[in-house]
Amino acid sequence: FFLIYSKMKKGSRVTRFAFAFFALFSTPVLYMAERGNMILLCLIALAVYAFTYDSQNKTYREIGILALAFAAALKLYPAVFGWFLIADKRYKDAVRCALYGVALLLIPSFFFGGPACFAYVFGNIFSFSTTGTGSTVSIICRAVGLSDTVATVINILAYLWVLICGVAFAVSAFITKEKYKTLLLGFLTICCIPSLTSLYTWAFMIIPLTLICNEPSHSKSGTWITVIASLPFAFIPLRLSYHVTPSMVLVYLATAVLSVWAVVDTFITLRALKKMGLSHLVRPKK
């Protein structure tokens, strides 16, 4: 709550308080807390990293780098946001972040059988994306009467789309001026992974939404991104079936719509910059 409230620079105190309050007491965050999922700690750590990334205070920036390493040590995939450091030519920061991450991974591993335990970590990441498990795709397909074969095909297509989103994210970090767009694309790439697509994972969207609200002036794209990204946060006291809720469906729809827009927007920007000359492709170092 403090992170969101302090990062919000626009609006009155009441407006900032209301935004932070409803971000915290929202469907994805409460569902995450109910499940006791440690993604909650990743959310806090990634918020610290994103909100201190451009800070003028070196200590805050260092805390942010350490927070990213902590998040990556917990769930591994947050490490992709270290790409910002590479794109901005903050190579020393990137090296320190990597060292922090390795230390936070290796040292605790010796309490759980040593580095060999990472084989189980990688296995758990991908196990829920297979047919016959508790993946949301499989649950939805079974709920509407579709076969497991359909769920398998959807998962394969989803991983292909994850690859496309990942490439777009890597490119966006170099060419997109609005930082929130690249962050949004990064979180959408994570949400597109079948084993990670979940209502509680959508809580990560609080971070780019907070940054969008701090933009000096809202563009049309920023407005409709905010609207679509906010839909899964709403409380909808209905169920489509015992296993499927409207919020779950909204997460999939929002992920699909926003990821398509983000990828297209990135490559439109790249094409425009190429016409202007290759010298414009790299953002100036801050």
Side-chain angles (χ1 to χ4, degrees), residues 52-53 55-65 90:
T52 61
Y53 185 83
S55 174
Q56 299 298 319
N57 189 308
K58 291 183 179 180
T59 301
Y60 289 169
R61 291 200 305 271
E62 196 67 22
I63 291 173
I65 292 171
R90 293 169 55 178

Side-chain angles (χ1 to χ4, degrees), residues 1 4 16 21 23 45 47 51 60-61 68 103 121 129 136 142 148 152 159 161 179 189 217 219 253 267 280:
F1 177 88
I4 299 169
R16 293 163 58 199
F21 178 87
F51 296 164
Y60 289 169
R61 291 200 305 271
L68 175 62
V121 174
S129 64
T136 308
R142 286 195 292 267
D148 288 340
T152 301
Y159 278 113
W161 182 243
K179 182 183 173 184
T189 302
S217 59
S219 61
L253 292 176
F267 286 103
H280 297 275

Side-chain angles (χ1 to χ4, degrees), residues 66-127:
L66 182 59
L68 175 62
F70 173 74
L74 285 180
K75 286 293 186 177
L76 300 183
Y77 54 80
V80 300
F81 294 103
W83 187 247
F84 280 106
L85 300 173
I86 303 298
D88 285 336
K89 299 181 180 180
R90 293 169 55 178
Y91 301 126
K92 292 182 179 179
D93 291 343
V95 170
R96 289 201 308 279
C97 185
L99 292 175
Y100 292 151
V102 170
L104 290 170
L105 270 174
L106 290 181
I107 294 174
S109 74
F110 290 102
F111 294 91
F112 300 93
C117 69
F118 295 128
Y120 298 102
V121 174
F122 281 104
N124 287 334
I125 289 175
F126 294 100
S127 64

Side-chain angles (χ1 to χ4, degrees), residues 89-204:
K89 299 181 180 180
R90 293 169 55 178
Y91 301 126
K92 292 182 179 179
D93 291 343
V95 170
R96 289 201 308 279
C97 185
L99 292 175
Y100 292 151
V102 170
L104 290 170
L105 270 174
L106 290 181
I107 294 174
S109 74
F110 290 102
F111 294 91
F112 300 93
C117 69
F118 295 128
Y120 298 102
V121 174
F122 281 104
N124 287 334
I125 289 175
F126 294 100
S127 64
F128 289 101
S129 64
T130 57
T131 303
T133 65
S135 72
T136 308
V137 170
S138 300
I139 292 173
I140 293 177
C141 286
R142 286 195 292 267
V144 297
L146 298 177
S147 66
D148 288 340
T149 302
V150 175
T152 301
V153 172
I154 293 175
N155 282 329
I156 293 173
L157 293 175
Y159 278 113
L160 290 175
W161 182 243
V162 168
L163 178 61
I164 295 173
C165 290
V167 172
F169 168 75
V171 173
S172 178
F174 286 94
I175 66 173
T176 304
K177 294 181 179 180
E178 299 91 344
K179 182 183 173 184
Y180 75 85
K181 288 186 177 181
T182 307
L183 268 173
L184 178 69
L185 185 51
F187 288 125
L188 288 170
T189 302
I190 292 172
C191 288
C192 284
I193 300 174
S195 57
L196 300 178
T197 308
S198 174
L199 178 59
Y200 54 76
T201 307
W202 196 257
F204 285 133

Side-chain angles (χ1 to χ4, degrees), residues 44-55:
I44 296 171
L46 287 174
V48 171
Y49 171 68
F51 296 164
T52 61
Y53 185 83
D54 293 324
S55 174

Side-chain angles (χ1 to χ4, degrees), residues 221-253:
S221 60
T223 299
W224 76 264
I225 287 172
T226 302
V227 172
I228 295 177
S230 298
L231 292 177
F233 286 93
F235 289 96
I236 305 175
L238 299 171
R239 280 186 175 272
L240 302 179
S241 71
Y242 182 77
H243 293 289
V244 181
T245 66
S247 295
M248 292 168 59
V249 176
L250 285 173
V251 166
Y252 275 88
L253 292 176

